[in-house]
Amino acid sequence: MNKYKILVVEDDAPVRNLITTTLKTHDYLFVTAACGEEAIMQASTCNPDVVFLDLGLPDMDGIEVIKRIREWSNMPIIVISARSDDEDKIEALDMGADDYLTKPFSVEELLARLRVMQRRLSLLASETSATESSVYTNGQLRIDFVARCAYLNGEEMKLTPIEYKLLCLLAQNTGKVLTHTFITQKIWGSSWQNDVASLRVFMATLRKKLETGEDSPQYIQTHIGVGYRMMKVEI
Ligand code: CA
């Protein structure tokens, strides 16, 4: 039996059934909610590992559900949105959601997103249990936050200060989709349109230095119109 428990928040019964059937087939435990109030109640009483959250709920906005859950928990939240709700999806990520699925989605996509969250959860667990968390490792990448150095395949990477800041920000949020706004605010303290343009340039140069393996890109995933995510790389 899979030890992960998933909270499925979706008022559309066919979509909810597709998700729960998929979870059942893959031995996940699950609980469901068909509205925001029920979602908040289930999140606090059932202690789920991951939440799938539809943004269009009958009683309240899914964004409000994220805000309420984030008051007391960092549990991974994957939002489900219609293709027309791009801005809602970005707002949800900025409010603290970890990832998103766009309707209509496939069963494979759903399971892939869940696996990313499981890796994120195990990473968070190992970070909190480690006494020394000043070093980050992911695949062949290693960052020493104290020495302010990054290494790839055992060799020091030659990074500019901005590239290093970007790499650290992505690494510290491995598994989570970070929006352009979130990144530019963390790096430059603002988020004007030209910061987003600069971000693309810095991201391109960072990737040239980081994504050198045969199956590149392995580390940084691009979410067009949304942002970027550092993936957990298995060795
Ligand atoms: Ca809905």
Side-chain angles (χ1 to χ4, degrees), residues 2 7 20 31 40 42 55 68 76 79 83-85 92 96 116 124 150 166 169-170 174 201 228:
N2 201 311
L7 168 58
T20 55
V31 282
I40 293 161
Q42 295 278 44
L55 287 179
R68 301 264 295 270
V79 297
R83 205 163 287 279
S84 53
D85 302 336
V116 171
L124 291 173
L166 260 177
L169 182 65
L170 289 161
T174 299
V201 175
Y228 302 91

Side-chain angles (χ1 to χ4, degrees), residues 10-12 54 56-57 103:
E10 173 62 79
D11 59 314
D12 186 350
D54 178 30
L57 295 169
K103 286 180 190 176

Side-chain angles (χ1 to χ4, degrees), residues 10 12 108-109 118 176 180 189-190 211 221 231:
E10 173 62 79
D12 186 350
E108 288 72 28
E109 268 183 278
Q118 284 176 247
K176 188 172 158 69
H180 295 135
S190 62
E211 307 282 12
Q221 206 179 51
M231 296 298 285

